[in-house]
Amino acid sequence: MKVLIANRGEIAVRVIRACREMAIPTVAVYSDCDRGARHVRDAGQAVHIGASPASESYLRIDKLIAAAKATGADAVHPGYGFLAENAKFARACRDAGVTFIGPSPEAIELMGSKTGARTVAIRAGVPVVPGTEEPLSGDASDAEIAREGARVGYPLMVKAVAGGGGKGMRVVESADALLNAVRTARSEAGSAFGDTAVYFERRIMKPRHIEIQLLADQYGTVVPFVERECSIQRRHQKVVEESPSMVVDRHLRRRIADAAAAVAAAAGYSNAGTIEFLLDEDGSFYFLEMNTRLQVEHPVTEMVTRMDLVQWQIRIARGERLTIDPEHAITPQGHAIECRIYAEDADEGFMPSPGLVRSIQPASGPGIRDDGGVLPGFTVPVFYDSMIAKLVAWGGSRSEAIERMSRALREYEIVGIKTTIPFFLWLMTQPEFLAARFDTTYLDALLRSRRGESFSRFSDEETRTIAVAAALDAWFRASAAVPTGAAREHASAWKTVARREALRG
């Protein structure tokens, strides 16, 4: 087997690492702005597939298939995002004789439709949030939309049928706001997914977002894993995930896992997938949707189960049977927390902060995992999602995991761009977070309450000190006039001084 990774950034690096351990050759693809990216360096081969906009590179099915054929790659891993949940891409791979490391195109079509997935869940006997059973097409009349809204009841959620990541989603409190919310959601969904169809769901007040990772082989075996808590969200986008959830006991865990497995079995699903649920305050849970791919937050599951989900994706795609003990998969070993590190300025409303990464030194040490996709000297582009790394902390308990995460965030050094690290440092100190008293509305409400306050950990003077140290570090390392040993000694000394000055306050 030879695997082409049809993606970029940290997930491409993650897949390459899994393949290396399995002695599987890899092929990277890259756009113009990713020519010097880490995944290009790490892969065994790399193929240029077009200009920087995703529509001209990472979303071009024809170019990806051509790259696979040109390099002799007989399998494709889609990662997440881009074409990972695109049935046309999965079908094109199959037609070209290339193994798609993921579910079948039929399963993607079935479960990728939010309304279609709801129907599968209902048939499997799994409770769903009350809502529309058929999508509202782009030409649905205002009267039809109003009638359906009244039937579902308020407050409700307008959701894109092809949505994800909070795109094409709007909260509607009353009938007066419905039509405008539908128009806005359709516009956003059309731009993001090329599909303007929407549907309605009754809004569950203050729910938790709980999801079940699962693996399914080609022989009908489905193994659900311990749940992930994904309620820390900003504008419906997850920013912190952890496993297990502090409000899910052993009995509820089994019930939710069994429900997730039932949905996957009813869909004839194989490979990795995730069933997402809303958990009400009274302990009731409702099927939300299925993600027919690997999740961004898969590392927290790996940390509490000691399993490599990417390697299992590959093994299943090769036709192997699942040999995982179901009890082991659903029994957490310790606690794990993940922070998504974005190139964003939290002090400016989380505005993207693209630019040159002058220096980067990830955190490490006991219980720490860094899934990064950026190296020093790389320019974070404006064309893609701004996530540059995922920092994961494991501990024997939740409190230990939080302590390790806080320590790791303080150790993580990135110079040249703004990141969300100061925001996460702040979040790790919030009483409600520490006590696990939150729901999907918690973070947005908390951010509104402190509008105008800075998250920045360093003063301007301290930031300049670190920047100067990083520049000297790079100069010493690059200078041919200075012996290697001396360069290393000078660079180390400057970094020590900078760190001491930055941490003084």
Side-chain angles (χ1 to χ4, degrees), residues 9 44 56 68 76 134 250 288 290 371 394 414 418 481:
E56 299 179 40
V76 167
E134 296 294 332
R250 186 175 180 180
L288 183 62
M290 182 176 195
D371 278 23
W394 178 92
I414 303 176
K418 298 281 189 178

Side-chain angles (χ1 to χ4, degrees), residues 307-368:
M307 295 186 194
D308 191 312
L309 296 174
V310 178
Q311 290 193 12
W312 267 112
Q313 282 191 289
I314 295 170
R315 293 174 65 179
I316 292 169
R318 293 197 301 203
E320 295 184 34
R321 291 181 179 271
L322 276 171
T323 56
I324 297 172
D325 178 359
E327 287 304 315
H328 175 80
I330 204 172
T331 304
Q333 302 173 50
H335 198 98
I337 298 176
E338 173 183 287
C339 291
R340 301 186 185 190
I341 298 177
Y342 289 93
E344 294 178 347
D345 186 350
D347 289 343
E348 295 295 332
F350 295 88
M351 287 289 290
S353 177
L356 176 65
V357 178
R358 299 184 181 279
S359 175
I360 182 167
Q361 183 171 322
S364 59
I368 297 302

Side-chain angles (χ1 to χ4, degrees), residues 27-51:
V27 180
V29 293
Y30 63 93
S31 65
D32 286 349
C33 65
D34 275 342
R35 190 174 297 274
R38 180 175 180 176
H39 74 283
V40 176
R41 185 206 68 174
D42 287 359
Q45 289 177 265
V47 178
H48 178 252
I49 54 171

Side-chain angles (χ1 to χ4, degrees), residues 335-410:
H335 198 98
I337 298 176
E338 173 183 287
C339 291
R340 301 186 185 190
I341 298 177
Y342 289 93
E344 294 178 347
D345 186 350
D347 289 343
E348 295 295 332
F350 295 88
M351 287 289 290
S353 177
L356 176 65
V357 178
R358 299 184 181 279
S359 175
I360 182 167
Q361 183 171 322
S364 59
I368 297 302
R369 167 175 166 175
D370 174 67
D371 278 23
V374 172
L375 292 171
F378 179 69
T379 298
V380 177
V382 298
F383 301 98
Y384 319 117
D385 182 271
S386 62
M387 187 171 66
I388 58 175
K390 297 179 307 194
L391 183 62
V392 190
W394 178 92
S397 63
R398 185 173 187 265
S399 60
E400 184 179 23
I402 292 174
E403 289 167 0
R404 282 181 167 167
M405 176 61 77
S406 298
R407 184 263 297 171
L409 287 164
R410 288 186 173 88

Side-chain angles (χ1 to χ4, degrees), residues 48-125:
H48 178 252
I49 54 171
S52 297
S55 60
E56 299 179 40
S57 50
Y58 296 107
L59 293 176
R60 286 289 298 271
I61 294 175
D62 56 337
K63 292 185 176 182
L64 293 167
I65 297 296
K69 289 183 176 179
T71 57
D74 56 356
V76 167
H77 195 299
Y80 40 70
F82 294 131
L83 296 170
E85 295 180 279
N86 188 297
K88 288 178 62 178
F89 182 43
R91 187 168 285 112
C93 288
R94 185 170 66 186
D95 293 345
V98 175
T99 298
F100 182 79
I101 302 176
S104 68
E106 292 78 17
I108 294 174
E109 286 175 333
L110 177 61
M111 301 309 289
S113 165
K114 302 300 187 290
T115 50
R118 282 171 57 87
T119 300
V120 172
I122 291 170
R123 290 175 179 170

